[in-house]
PDB file of all heavy atoms in Angstrom:
ATOM      1  N   ARG A 146       0.833  -1.208   0.000  1.00 91.00           N
ATOM      2  CA  ARG A 146       0.000   0.000   0.000  1.00 91.00           C
ATOM      3  C   ARG A 146       0.864   1.252   0.000  1.00 91.00           C
ATOM      4  O   ARG A 146       1.974   1.266   0.545  1.00 91.00           O
ATOM      5  CB  ARG A 146      -0.917  -0.006   1.222  1.00 91.00           C
ATOM      6  CG  ARG A 146      -1.849  -1.218   1.258  1.00 91.00           C
ATOM      7  CD  ARG A 146      -2.836  -1.203   0.119  1.00 91.00           C
ATOM      8  NE  ARG A 146      -3.338  -2.552  -0.177  1.00 91.00           N
ATOM      9  CZ  ARG A 146      -4.255  -2.802  -1.097  1.00 91.00           C
ATOM     10  NH1 ARG A 146      -4.767  -1.828  -1.816  1.00 91.00           N
ATOM     11  NH2 ARG A 146      -4.650  -4.034  -1.322  1.00 91.00           N
ATOM     12  N   THR A 147       0.347   2.315  -0.600  1.00 90.00           N
ATOM     13  CA  THR A 147       1.117   3.553  -0.711  1.00 90.00           C
ATOM     14  C   THR A 147       1.229   4.285   0.614  1.00 90.00           C
ATOM     15  O   THR A 147       2.146   5.090   0.806  1.00 90.00           O
ATOM     16  CB  THR A 147       0.461   4.487  -1.747  1.00 90.00           C
ATOM     17  OG1 THR A 147      -0.905   4.724  -1.356  1.00 90.00           O
ATOM     18  CG2 THR A 147       0.484   3.850  -3.125  1.00 90.00           C
ATOM     19  N   GLN A 148       0.307   4.031   1.540  1.00 90.00           N
ATOM     20  CA  GLN A 148       0.339   4.648   2.857  1.00 90.00           C
ATOM     21  C   GLN A 148      -0.078   3.611   3.891  1.00 90.00           C
ATOM     22  O   GLN A 148      -0.894   2.729   3.588  1.00 90.00           O
ATOM     23  CB  GLN A 148      -0.609   5.860   2.934  1.00 90.00           C
ATOM     24  CG  GLN A 148      -0.241   6.995   1.991  1.00 90.00           C
ATOM     25  CD  GLN A 148      -1.309   8.070   1.953  1.00 90.00           C
ATOM     26  OE1 GLN A 148      -2.342   7.955   2.591  1.00 90.00           O
ATOM     27  NE2 GLN A 148      -1.036   9.132   1.194  1.00 90.00           N
ATOM     28  N   PRO A 149       0.455   3.692   5.108  1.00 88.00           N
ATOM     29  CA  PRO A 149       0.063   2.709   6.132  1.00 88.00           C
ATOM     30  C   PRO A 149      -1.393   2.884   6.538  1.00 88.00           C
ATOM     31  O   PRO A 149      -1.894   4.009   6.646  1.00 88.00           O
ATOM     32  CB  PRO A 149       1.016   3.013   7.293  1.00 88.00           C
ATOM     33  CG  PRO A 149       1.444   4.429   7.079  1.00 88.00           C
ATOM     34  CD  PRO A 149       1.478   4.631   5.599  1.00 88.00           C
ATOM     35  N   GLY A 150      -2.082   1.773   6.774  1.00 88.00           N
ATOM     36  CA  GLY A 150      -3.471   1.813   7.202  1.00 88.00           C
ATOM     37  C   GLY A 150      -3.584   1.919   8.706  1.00 88.00           C
ATOM     38  O   GLY A 150      -2.610   1.829   9.452  1.00 88.00           O
ATOM     39  N   LEU A 151      -4.815   2.130   9.178  1.00 88.00           N
ATOM     40  CA  LEU A 151      -5.096   2.232  10.608  1.00 88.00           C
ATOM     41  C   LEU A 151      -5.791   0.970  11.072  1.00 88.00           C
ATOM     42  O   LEU A 151      -6.621   0.399  10.348  1.00 88.00           O
ATOM     43  CB  LEU A 151      -5.989   3.452  10.885  1.00 88.00           C
ATOM     44  CG  LEU A 151      -5.387   4.821  10.532  1.00 88.00           C
ATOM     45  CD1 LEU A 151      -6.414   5.922  10.767  1.00 88.00           C
ATOM     46  CD2 LEU A 151      -4.128   5.075  11.342  1.00 88.00           C
ATOM     47  N   PRO A 152      -5.501   0.503  12.286  1.00 89.00           N
ATOM     48  CA  PRO A 152      -6.137  -0.728  12.779  1.00 89.00           C
ATOM     49  C   PRO A 152      -7.598  -0.500  13.147  1.00 89.00           C
ATOM     50  O   PRO A 152      -8.037   0.638  13.344  1.00 89.00           O
ATOM     51  CB  PRO A 152      -5.301  -1.072  14.017  1.00 89.00           C
ATOM     52  CG  PRO A 152      -4.785   0.250  14.490  1.00 89.00           C
ATOM     53  CD  PRO A 152      -4.547   1.064  13.260  1.00 89.00           C
ATOM     54  N   MET A 153      -8.325  -1.570  13.251  1.00 90.00           N
ATOM     55  CA  MET A 153      -9.715  -1.506  13.656  1.00 90.00           C
ATOM     56  C   MET A 153      -9.816  -1.124  15.124  1.00 90.00           C
ATOM     57  O   MET A 153      -8.979  -1.504  15.942  1.00 90.00           O
ATOM     58  CB  MET A 153     -10.382  -2.871  13.428  1.00 90.00           C
ATOM     59  CG  MET A 153     -11.835  -2.946  13.856  1.00 90.00           C
ATOM     60  SD  MET A 153     -12.514  -4.610  13.664  1.00 90.00           S
ATOM     61  CE  MET A 153     -11.537  -5.510  14.868  1.00 90.00           C
ATOM     62  N   LYS A 154     -10.856  -0.369  15.469  1.00 91.00           N
ATOM     63  CA  LYS A 154     -11.139  -0.070  16.862  1.00 91.00           C
ATOM     64  C   LYS A 154     -12.650   0.068  17.009  1.00 91.00           C
ATOM     65  O   LYS A 154     -13.372   0.157  16.004  1.00 91.00           O
ATOM     66  CB  LYS A 154     -10.424   1.206  17.303  1.00 91.00           C
ATOM     67  CG  LYS A 154     -10.980   2.491  16.728  1.00 91.00           C
ATOM     68  CD  LYS A 154     -10.267   3.689  17.323  1.00 91.00           C
ATOM     69  CE  LYS A 154     -10.913   4.993  16.875  1.00 91.00           C
ATOM     70  NZ  LYS A 154     -10.236   6.172  17.491  1.00 91.00           N
ATOM     71  N   PRO A 155     -13.186   0.091  18.227  1.00 93.00           N
ATOM     72  CA  PRO A 155     -14.646   0.189  18.395  1.00 93.00           C
ATOM     73  C   PRO A 155     -15.219   1.392  17.664  1.00 93.00           C
ATOM     74  O   PRO A 155     -14.758   2.517  17.842  1.00 93.00           O
ATOM     75  CB  PRO A 155     -14.818   0.316  19.917  1.00 93.00           C
ATOM     76  CG  PRO A 155     -13.628  -0.381  20.483  1.00 93.00           C
ATOM     77  CD  PRO A 155     -12.507  -0.106  19.530  1.00 93.00           C
ATOM     78  N   GLY A 156     -16.189   1.132  16.815  1.00 90.00           N
ATOM     79  CA  GLY A 156     -16.827   2.204  16.048  1.00 90.00           C
ATOM     80  C   GLY A 156     -16.151   2.548  14.750  1.00 90.00           C
ATOM     81  O   GLY A 156     -16.633   3.424  14.019  1.00 90.00           O
ATOM     82  N   ARG A 157     -15.026   1.896  14.426  1.00 90.00           N
ATOM     83  CA  ARG A 157     -14.334   2.212  13.179  1.00 90.00           C
ATOM     84  C   ARG A 157     -13.707   0.961  12.599  1.00 90.00           C
ATOM     85  O   ARG A 157     -13.052   0.192  13.312  1.00 90.00           O
ATOM     86  CB  ARG A 157     -13.241   3.253  13.407  1.00 90.00           C
ATOM     87  CG  ARG A 157     -12.584   3.753  12.114  1.00 90.00           C
ATOM     88  CD  ARG A 157     -11.341   4.581  12.412  1.00 90.00           C
ATOM     89  NE  ARG A 157     -10.260   3.742  12.923  1.00 90.00           N
ATOM     90  CZ  ARG A 157      -9.140   4.232  13.454  1.00 90.00           C
ATOM     91  NH1 ARG A 157      -8.999   5.535  13.585  1.00 90.00           N
ATOM     92  NH2 ARG A 157      -8.196   3.413  13.888  1.00 90.00           N
ATOM     93  N   ALA A 158     -13.922   0.742  11.307  1.00 91.00           N
ATOM     94  CA  ALA A 158     -13.323  -0.400  10.631  1.00 91.00           C
ATOM     95  C   ALA A 158     -11.856  -0.120  10.339  1.00 91.00           C
ATOM     96  O   ALA A 158     -11.407   1.031  10.333  1.00 91.00           O
ATOM     97  CB  ALA A 158     -14.066  -0.698   9.330  1.00 91.00           C
ATOM     98  N   GLY A 159     -11.093  -1.170  10.121  1.00 90.00           N
ATOM     99  CA  GLY A 159      -9.712  -0.998   9.699  1.00 90.00           C
ATOM    100  C   GLY A 159      -9.652  -0.310   8.349  1.00 90.00           C
ATOM    101  O   GLY A 159     -10.589  -0.377   7.548  1.00 90.00           O
ATOM    102  N   THR A 160      -8.556   0.374   8.075  1.00 90.00           N
ATOM    103  CA  THR A 160      -8.443   1.141   6.831  1.00 90.00           C
ATOM    104  C   THR A 160      -7.217   0.700   6.041  1.00 90.00           C
ATOM    105  O   THR A 160      -6.235   0.216   6.600  1.00 90.00           O
ATOM    106  CB  THR A 160      -8.336   2.653   7.110  1.00 90.00           C
ATOM    107  OG1 THR A 160      -7.133   2.903   7.841  1.00 90.00           O
ATOM    108  CG2 THR A 160      -9.524   3.136   7.925  1.00 90.00           C
ATOM    109  N   MET A 161      -7.297   0.875   4.742  1.00 89.00           N
ATOM    110  CA  MET A 161      -6.161   0.653   3.864  1.00 89.00           C
ATOM    111  C   MET A 161      -6.392   1.462   2.586  1.00 89.00           C
ATOM    112  O   MET A 161      -7.543   1.696   2.182  1.00 89.00           O
ATOM    113  CB  MET A 161      -5.964  -0.831   3.547  1.00 89.00           C
ATOM    114  CG  MET A 161      -7.114  -1.496   2.827  1.00 89.00           C
ATOM    115  SD  MET A 161      -6.952  -3.288   2.737  1.00 89.00           S
ATOM    116  CE  MET A 161      -5.316  -3.478   2.088  1.00 89.00           C
ATOM    117  N   THR A 162      -5.317   1.923   1.972  1.00 89.00           N
ATOM    118  CA  THR A 162      -5.456   2.757   0.786  1.00 89.00           C
ATOM    119  C   THR A 162      -5.962   1.922  -0.395  1.00 89.00           C
ATOM    120  O   THR A 162      -5.733   0.725  -0.474  1.00 89.00           O
ATOM    121  CB  THR A 162      -4.105   3.392   0.414  1.00 89.00           C
ATOM    122  OG1 THR A 162      -3.155   2.351   0.145  1.00 89.00           O
ATOM    123  CG2 THR A 162      -3.596   4.271   1.539  1.00 89.00           C
ATOM    124  N   HIS A 163      -6.647   2.618  -1.297  1.00 90.00           N
ATOM    125  CA  HIS A 163      -7.185   1.914  -2.467  1.00 90.00           C
ATOM    126  C   HIS A 163      -6.108   1.673  -3.528  1.00 90.00           C
ATOM    127  O   HIS A 163      -6.262   0.795  -4.371  1.00 90.00           O
ATOM    128  CB  HIS A 163      -8.323   2.724  -3.087  1.00 90.00           C
ATOM    129  CG  HIS A 163      -7.872   4.011  -3.708  1.00 90.00           C
ATOM    130  ND1 HIS A 163      -7.679   5.166  -2.982  1.00 90.00           N
ATOM    131  CD2 HIS A 163      -7.546   4.327  -4.989  1.00 90.00           C
ATOM    132  CE1 HIS A 163      -7.277   6.130  -3.782  1.00 90.00           C
ATOM    133  NE2 HIS A 163      -7.188   5.660  -5.008  1.00 90.00           N
ATOM    134  N   ASP A 164      -5.025   2.452  -3.485  1.00 89.00           N
ATOM    135  CA  ASP A 164      -3.971   2.268  -4.474  1.00 89.00           C
ATOM    136  C   ASP A 164      -2.811   1.498  -3.850  1.00 89.00           C
ATOM    137  O   ASP A 164      -2.719   1.355  -2.626  1.00 89.00           O
ATOM    138  CB  ASP A 164      -3.498   3.612  -5.027  1.00 89.00           C
ATOM    139  CG  ASP A 164      -3.080   4.572  -3.916  1.00 89.00           C
ATOM    140  OD1 ASP A 164      -3.412   4.309  -2.755  1.00 89.00           O
ATOM    141  OD2 ASP A 164      -2.419   5.577  -4.219  1.00 89.00           O
ATOM    142  N   TYR A 165      -1.926   0.998  -4.686  1.00 90.00           N
ATOM    143  CA  TYR A 165      -0.886   0.097  -4.205  1.00 90.00           C
ATOM    144  C   TYR A 165       0.330   0.162  -5.115  1.00 90.00           C
ATOM    145  O   TYR A 165       0.303   0.742  -6.205  1.00 90.00           O
ATOM    146  CB  TYR A 165      -1.414  -1.338  -4.149  1.00 90.00           C
ATOM    147  CG  TYR A 165      -2.187  -1.754  -5.382  1.00 90.00           C
ATOM    148  CD1 TYR A 165      -1.534  -2.149  -6.557  1.00 90.00           C
ATOM    149  CD2 TYR A 165      -3.584  -1.724  -5.391  1.00 90.00           C
ATOM    150  CE1 TYR A 165      -2.237  -2.510  -7.679  1.00 90.00           C
ATOM    151  CE2 TYR A 165      -4.303  -2.088  -6.526  1.00 90.00           C
ATOM    152  CZ  TYR A 165      -3.618  -2.475  -7.657  1.00 90.00           C
ATOM    153  OH  TYR A 165      -4.322  -2.824  -8.782  1.00 90.00           O
ATOM    154  N   LYS A 166       1.401  -0.447  -4.626  1.00 92.00           N
ATOM    155  CA  LYS A 166       2.637  -0.593  -5.406  1.00 92.00           C
ATOM    156  C   LYS A 166       2.841  -2.074  -5.696  1.00 92.00           C
ATOM    157  O   LYS A 166       2.671  -2.908  -4.810  1.00 92.00           O
ATOM    158  CB  LYS A 166       3.835  -0.068  -4.617  1.00 92.00           C
ATOM    159  CG  LYS A 166       3.732   1.385  -4.193  1.00 92.00           C
ATOM    160  CD  LYS A 166       4.918   1.750  -3.312  1.00 92.00           C
ATOM    161  CE  LYS A 166       4.801   3.159  -2.777  1.00 92.00           C
ATOM    162  NZ  LYS A 166       5.911   3.487  -1.841  1.00 92.00           N
ATOM    163  N   ARG A 167       3.226  -2.389  -6.930  1.00 93.00           N
ATOM    164  CA  ARG A 167       3.471  -3.776  -7.313  1.00 93.00           C
ATOM    165  C   ARG A 167       4.951  -4.099  -7.158  1.00 93.00           C
ATOM    166  O   ARG A 167       5.806  -3.329  -7.569  1.00 93.00           O
ATOM    167  CB  ARG A 167       3.045  -4.033  -8.754  1.00 93.00           C
ATOM    168  CG  ARG A 167       1.536  -3.990  -8.971  1.00 93.00           C
ATOM    169  CD  ARG A 167       1.216  -4.472 -10.377  1.00 93.00           C
ATOM    170  NE  ARG A 167      -0.212  -4.498 -10.637  1.00 93.00           N
ATOM    171  CZ  ARG A 167      -0.878  -3.516 -11.208  1.00 93.00           C
ATOM    172  NH1 ARG A 167      -0.246  -2.421 -11.583  1.00 93.00           N
ATOM    173  NH2 ARG A 167      -2.166  -3.613 -11.434  1.00 93.00           N
ATOM    174  N   HIS A 168       5.223  -5.255  -6.579  1.00 92.00           N
ATOM    175  CA  HIS A 168       6.605  -5.694  -6.407  1.00 92.00           C
ATOM    176  C   HIS A 168       6.853  -7.035  -7.091  1.00 92.00           C
ATOM    177  O   HIS A 168       7.708  -7.799  -6.668  1.00 92.00           O
ATOM    178  CB  HIS A 168       6.948  -5.801  -4.923  1.00 92.00           C
ATOM    179  CG  HIS A 168       6.930  -4.489  -4.203  1.00 92.00           C
ATOM    180  ND1 HIS A 168       7.784  -3.454  -4.502  1.00 92.00           N
ATOM    181  CD2 HIS A 168       6.128  -4.035  -3.202  1.00 92.00           C
ATOM    182  CE1 HIS A 168       7.537  -2.425  -3.708  1.00 92.00           C
ATOM    183  NE2 HIS A 168       6.531  -2.751  -2.906  1.00 92.00           N
ATOM    184  N   GLY A 169       6.073  -7.334  -8.135  1.00 92.00           N
ATOM    185  CA  GLY A 169       6.281  -8.577  -8.864  1.00 92.00           C
ATOM    186  C   GLY A 169       5.196  -9.601  -8.572  1.00 92.00           C
ATOM    187  O   GLY A 169       4.280  -9.375  -7.776  1.00 92.00           O
ATOM    188  N   THR A 170       5.288 -10.725  -9.228  1.00 93.00           N
ATOM    189  CA  THR A 170       4.300 -11.798  -9.077  1.00 93.00           C
ATOM    190  C   THR A 170       5.011 -13.127  -8.865  1.00 93.00           C
ATOM    191  O   THR A 170       6.182 -13.295  -9.213  1.00 93.00           O
ATOM    192  CB  THR A 170       3.405 -11.904 -10.325  1.00 93.00           C
ATOM    193  OG1 THR A 170       4.220 -12.215 -11.457  1.00 93.00           O
ATOM    194  CG2 THR A 170       2.642 -10.618 -10.556  1.00 93.00           C
ATOM    195  N   THR A 171       4.267 -14.061  -8.297  1.00 94.00           N
ATOM    196  CA  THR A 171       4.764 -15.420  -8.120  1.00 94.00           C
ATOM    197  C   THR A 171       3.661 -16.395  -8.462  1.00 94.00           C
ATOM    198  O   THR A 171       2.483 -16.026  -8.528  1.00 94.00           O
ATOM    199  CB  THR A 171       5.246 -15.651  -6.666  1.00 94.00           C
ATOM    200  OG1 THR A 171       5.898 -16.915  -6.573  1.00 94.00           O
ATOM    201  CG2 THR A 171       4.068 -15.639  -5.700  1.00 94.00           C
ATOM    202  N   THR A 172       4.026 -17.638  -8.691  1.00 94.00           N
ATOM    203  CA  THR A 172       3.067 -18.703  -8.977  1.00 94.00           C
ATOM    204  C   THR A 172       3.239 -19.788  -7.926  1.00 94.00           C
ATOM    205  O   THR A 172       4.354 -20.242  -7.685  1.00 94.00           O
ATOM    206  CB  THR A 172       3.287 -19.287 -10.380  1.00 94.00           C
ATOM    207  OG1 THR A 172       3.005 -18.286 -11.359  1.00 94.00           O
ATOM    208  CG2 THR A 172       2.371 -20.481 -10.615  1.00 94.00           C
ATOM    209  N   LEU A 173       2.135 -20.165  -7.311  1.00 95.00           N
ATOM    210  CA  LEU A 173       2.169 -21.224  -6.310  1.00 95.00           C
ATOM    211  C   LEU A 173       1.703 -22.526  -6.940  1.00 95.00           C
ATOM    212  O   LEU A 173       0.548 -22.641  -7.367  1.00 95.00           O
ATOM    213  CB  LEU A 173       1.275 -20.874  -5.120  1.00 95.00           C
ATOM    214  CG  LEU A 173       1.091 -21.977  -4.082  1.00 95.00           C
ATOM    215  CD1 LEU A 173       2.408 -22.328  -3.419  1.00 95.00           C
ATOM    216  CD2 LEU A 173       0.052 -21.584  -3.042  1.00 95.00           C
ATOM    217  N   PHE A 174       2.583 -23.506  -7.001  1.00 96.00           N
ATOM    218  CA  PHE A 174       2.210 -24.862  -7.380  1.00 96.00           C
ATOM    219  C   PHE A 174       1.862 -25.610  -6.098  1.00 96.00           C
ATOM    220  O   PHE A 174       2.624 -25.570  -5.121  1.00 96.00           O
ATOM    221  CB  PHE A 174       3.370 -25.569  -8.096  1.00 96.00           C
ATOM    222  CG  PHE A 174       3.622 -25.076  -9.489  1.00 96.00           C
ATOM    223  CD1 PHE A 174       4.347 -23.910  -9.710  1.00 96.00           C
ATOM    224  CD2 PHE A 174       3.132 -25.766 -10.587  1.00 96.00           C
ATOM    225  CE1 PHE A 174       4.586 -23.452 -10.988  1.00 96.00           C
ATOM    226  CE2 PHE A 174       3.368 -25.313 -11.874  1.00 96.00           C
ATOM    227  CZ  PHE A 174       4.089 -24.150 -12.078  1.00 96.00           C
ATOM    228  N   ALA A 175       0.722 -26.275  -6.099  1.00 96.00           N
ATOM    229  CA  ALA A 175       0.272 -26.941  -4.875  1.00 96.00           C
ATOM    230  C   ALA A 175      -0.322 -28.292  -5.213  1.00 96.00           C
ATOM    231  O   ALA A 175      -0.958 -28.487  -6.261  1.00 96.00           O
ATOM    232  CB  ALA A 175      -0.763 -26.085  -4.136  1.00 96.00           C
ATOM    233  N   ALA A 176      -0.107 -29.240  -4.295  1.00 95.00           N
ATOM    234  CA  ALA A 176      -0.689 -30.578  -4.397  1.00 95.00           C
ATOM    235  C   ALA A 176      -1.344 -30.882  -3.059  1.00 95.00           C
ATOM    236  O   ALA A 176      -0.659 -30.977  -2.034  1.00 95.00           O
ATOM    237  CB  ALA A 176       0.383 -31.615  -4.727  1.00 95.00           C
ATOM    238  N   LEU A 177      -2.670 -31.003  -3.062  1.00 95.00           N
ATOM    239  CA  LEU A 177      -3.434 -31.292  -1.850  1.00 95.00           C
ATOM    240  C   LEU A 177      -3.632 -32.794  -1.716  1.00 95.00           C
ATOM    241  O   LEU A 177      -4.187 -33.438  -2.611  1.00 95.00           O
ATOM    242  CB  LEU A 177      -4.792 -30.586  -1.903  1.00 95.00           C
ATOM    243  CG  LEU A 177      -5.791 -30.951  -0.804  1.00 95.00           C
ATOM    244  CD1 LEU A 177      -5.309 -30.440   0.548  1.00 95.00           C
ATOM    245  CD2 LEU A 177      -7.172 -30.392  -1.126  1.00 95.00           C
TER     246      LEU A 177
END
């Protein structure tokens, strides 16, 4: 996120910015 969010507290939901920075992608191979 471009700015740090605020934690949840009574009467207010947690916050996070709508925009973001990309640092690449990965692929998860999984066998269940």
Side-chain angles (χ1 to χ4, degrees):
R146 300 295 157 177
T147 57
Q148 297 172 358
L151 297 176
M153 178 184 65
K154 71 175 186 178
R157 187 191 70 191
T160 63
M161 62 190 309
T162 60
H163 68 277
D164 54 345
Y165 45 80
K166 302 175 184 176
R167 291 189 178 94
H168 295 297
T170 61
T171 188
T172 295
L173 173 63
F174 287 81
L177 171 68

